[in-house]
């Protein structure tokens, strides 16, 4: 498959900054992402790699328009996401996901595994009632886990577990 599923063209994101001192006032901008461009072909995966603070998360958030880009275009499956209303954008967000650097920070330790998997199904109105349970069980099975895992409570790793 050579079809471009996602095209990011000259994506930039700047944040306004203000500093007030006793005798001076500075107003400027912090450029977090500057003219980022890449394509992802259908069936392929990419990873953004870089130092802490280099703009990886801001790029992902800007692609999904969780943070509005300052300029540039994001074309998903032939549709320019920058031209969509928030309501129209919801349809496309169902097909995209950011995976953060620290997956443990993305998980809610108070939610069971099944609840964590079911949440986006509820949020996007993809199923109701027993259908949700069936989908969660199918997804667990798809990754080689039994439905029993749906009832497990996620617990954060202790600092001792995180030592290298």
């Amino acid at each position: 498959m050579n079809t471009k599923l996602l095209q990011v063209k000259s994506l930039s994101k700047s944040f306004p900054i203000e500093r007030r001192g006793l005798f001076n006032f500075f107003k400027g901008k912090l450029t977090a992402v500057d003219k980022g461009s890449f394509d992802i072909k259908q069936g392929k995966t990419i990873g953004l790699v870089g130092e802490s603070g280099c703009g990886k998360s801001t790029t992902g958030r800007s692609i999904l328009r969780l943070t509005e880009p300052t300029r540039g275009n994001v074309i998903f499956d032939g549709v320019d996401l920058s031209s969509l209303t928030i309501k129209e954008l919801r349809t496309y967000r169902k097909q995209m996901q950011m995976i953060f650097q620290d997956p443990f920070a993305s998980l809610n330790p108070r939610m069971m595994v099944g609840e964590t998997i079911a949440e986006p199904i509820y949020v996007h109105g993809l199923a109701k009632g027993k259908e949700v349970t069936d989908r969660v069980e199918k997804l667990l099975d798809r990754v080689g886990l039994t439905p029993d895992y749906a009832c497990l409570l996620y617990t954060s790793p202790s600092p001792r577990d995180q030592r290298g």
Side-chain angles (χ1 to χ4, degrees):
M1 293 182 205
N2 288 329
T3 307
K4 293 178 185 175
L5 182 62
L6 180 70
Q7 296 173 61
V8 177
K9 299 179 179 181
S10 298
L11 186 70
S12 296
K13 176 61 183 172
S14 297
F15 296 95
I17 55 172
E18 290 184 10
R19 290 195 191 135
R20 297 176 192 266
L22 187 58
F23 299 108
N24 60 8
F25 175 77
F26 171 78
K27 194 172 186 174
K29 66 179 180 175
L30 170 72
T31 301
V33 178
D34 191 24
K35 300 177 189 166
S37 297
F38 57 88
D39 297 333
I40 302 176
K41 293 181 181 177
Q42 210 161 18
K44 298 293 180 183
T45 304
I46 70 161
L48 292 178
V49 180
E51 295 177 15
S52 179
C54 74
K56 300 178 299 290
S57 294
T58 301
T59 299
R61 285 186 170 94
S62 296
I63 290 168
L64 292 170
R65 282 185 52 204
L66 298 172
T67 299
E68 287 294 331
T70 307
R71 65 184 153 279
N73 295 84
V74 176
I75 300 164
F76 179 76
D77 206 15
V79 176
D80 188 348
L81 299 183
S82 57
S83 66
L84 300 178
T85 65
I86 295 300
K87 187 176 179 181
E88 293 168 330
L89 187 59
R90 275 191 119 188
T91 304
Y92 291 92
R93 283 185 178 157
K94 292 177 192 179
Q95 302 172 59
M96 297 184 276
Q97 179 181 2
M98 262 181 76
I99 300 173
F100 293 94
Q101 296 162 221
D102 180 7
F104 295 112
S106 302
L107 298 172
N108 182 342
R110 295 188 181 113
M111 291 176 71
M112 291 187 200
V113 171
E115 292 171 322
T116 301
I117 297 169
E119 187 177 32
I121 297 170
Y122 284 121
V123 167
H124 292 295
L126 301 174
K128 292 181 182 177
K130 175 90 170 88
E131 271 184 73
V132 175
T133 305
D134 292 343
R135 269 184 105 154
V136 168
E137 288 178 359
K138 284 179 186 172
L139 288 167
L140 286 168
D141 182 59
R142 189 173 178 181
V143 297
L145 300 173
T146 67
D148 301 336
Y149 280 91
C151 298
L152 292 178
L153 190 61
Y154 169 76
T155 55
S156 300
S158 71
R160 186 172 34 194
D161 295 337
Q162 292 182 351
R163 279 189 266 155

